[in-house]
Amino acid sequence: MNPFGNYKTVISARATDKEILKKAQDGGIVSAAYIYGLESKLLDGVIVANTEDGFNAAPKVATTPEEVLNAAGTKYTVSPNVSVLKDAVRKYALEKVGIVGTPCQVQAIRKLIKYPMGFRHTDSKIALVMGIFCMENFSYEGMKAIVEEYAGIRMDDVLKTDIGKGKFWVYSKYGDVKSVKLKDTHMYEQKSCHICTDYTAELADISTGSVGSPDGWSTIFIRTEKGEAYINKMVEAGVLETKNIDDVKPGLDLVQKLSLQKKEKNEKEIVQRRELGLPVPY
């Protein structure tokens, strides 16, 4: 079983901009890539997961580095980024769009590029597809229960959330840091996540996540020629600091463990649903 899908190379990296590292998640790879793309004219605009009142994730078309930075940080709840792709092209008249998503969203993006029914004249405008590692996601109500009932922090006061060391971490605007054991969050996971077998966003140009790299760094799978050229330009421009993935801990072994864990567990769920005659949406 292939744990990672097709890829050209894997590196560990982080942004060199301290403002990005201060605001973004882990190595700040998505924010750094988007800001570099906008400043270098490789991208006209990007689709990000922004936060609205109550730390509710919502898709946004960003056309400035400031908008990208304001939206930095992982949101562990649904943000339908693909839903604003048509707006990016038609309303904002963007010719080169960057879009980031979870593995399931990346699959949807690749499908609409391959079969652009309903997305004609939009699919060709996608200039860069970035994916983020994802084991599971939460509905907003599920996230609210975790944050308010378990962590004891109001959603309006949330500054940042993170998952690491077997816990769900919540950071408030007032400096409070609370954690919830992941075993207590499982009941709030989206059921559809239990039939997804993609952990590392295998169909992206570039996919990234914190697992496998040291604190403050991110692991990057460079999957396509387009992704390879883009990362090389970032490195040449000095906006990324990189290390060989074999030289860092915990390295690819942990990424492989989690990837295979998701594939094996969720493939069993798919088989069980089919045996029971239940639908298996993709």
Side-chain angles (χ1 to χ4, degrees):
M1 183 181 292
N2 184 343
F4 306 130
N6 295 326
Y7 65 93
K8 290 180 170 294
T9 188
V10 190
I11 59 174
S12 182
R14 66 179 178 185
T16 56
D17 189 312
K18 292 181 179 178
E19 286 302 311
I20 293 177
L21 291 177
K22 182 180 178 181
K23 183 75 191 304
Q25 206 91 359
D26 307 306
I29 305 305
V30 174
S31 297
Y34 275 177
I35 290 172
Y36 170 74
L38 293 174
E39 291 180 339
S40 63
K41 308 302 181 185
L42 290 175
L43 302 173
D44 299 324
V46 296
I47 297 173
V48 297
N50 200 24
T51 48
E52 297 181 338
D53 293 341
F55 205 71
N56 193 3
K60 176 182 175 62
V61 179
T63 57
T64 68
E66 291 75 20
E67 288 178 316
V68 172
L69 198 56
N70 286 337
T74 301
K75 291 82 179 173
Y76 294 98
T77 186
V78 182
S79 176
N81 287 5
V82 180
S83 68
V84 298
L85 182 56
K86 289 182 181 179
D87 280 348
V89 174
R90 299 174 184 176
K91 181 179 177 180
Y92 291 81
L94 302 180
E95 292 292 324
K96 296 173 289 186
V97 182
I99 184 168
V100 63
T102 55
C104 57
Q105 291 173 324
V106 170
Q107 290 177 23
I109 294 164
R110 287 302 180 196
K111 286 180 180 179
L112 74 84
I113 291 174
K114 188 73 173 178
Y115 307 103
M117 296 293 292
F119 282 89
R120 288 188 177 92
H121 313 300
T122 300
D123 56 301
S124 61
K125 310 299 184 182
I126 299 173
L128 183 70
V129 179
M130 299 194 72
I132 52 178
F133 298 177
C134 180
M135 186 63 78
E136 63 270 319
N137 211 336
F138 306 97
S139 67
Y140 179 74
E141 291 304 318
M143 166 80 88
K144 185 175 180 180
I146 295 168
V147 172
E148 296 193 343
E149 296 178 23
Y150 284 81
I153 294 177
R154 295 174 63 249
M155 290 295 282
D156 286 333
D157 296 334
V158 175
L159 176 66
K160 178 182 176 181
T161 55
D162 197 4
I163 290 180
K165 299 181 174 66
K167 295 181 179 181
F168 186 102
W169 297 86
V170 185
Y171 300 79
S172 84
K173 298 174 182 177
Y174 306 106
D176 298 316
V177 181
K178 300 291 182 65
S179 65
V180 180
K181 293 180 180 178
L182 284 183
K183 66 181 182 66
D184 293 327
T185 70
H186 292 322
M187 70 179 77
Y188 300 106
E189 296 166 3
Q190 292 192 113
K191 300 304 180 185
S192 57
C193 294
H194 296 165
I195 57 166
C196 174
T197 58
D198 186 353
Y199 175 64
T200 59
E202 297 174 14
L203 298 182
D205 293 312
I206 300 163
S207 51
T208 184
S210 65
V211 176
S213 289
D215 289 346
W217 291 69
S218 295
T219 301
I220 303 177
F221 282 86
I222 302 169
R223 300 187 177 278
T224 65
E225 290 184 5
K226 182 184 292 185
E228 184 176 47
Y230 200 98
I231 290 292
N232 286 342
K233 289 177 181 178
M234 291 178 68
V235 173
E236 291 169 5
V239 300
L240 275 189
E241 178 182 0
T242 67
K243 291 183 178 181
N244 190 313
I245 193 67
D246 295 328
D247 296 334
V248 302
K249 298 293 182 181
L252 277 184
D253 286 347
L254 181 56
V255 187
Q256 177 171 308
K257 177 183 176 181
L258 293 177
S259 181
L260 290 176
Q261 178 181 313
K262 182 174 184 180
K263 288 179 183 293
E264 292 167 359
K265 177 183 175 182
N266 291 355
E267 281 178 357
K268 289 179 181 178
E269 175 74 17
I270 292 171
V271 170
Q272 289 174 354
R273 291 183 68 87
R274 285 177 174 159
E275 289 176 346
L276 293 171
L278 299 174
V280 182
Y282 286 98

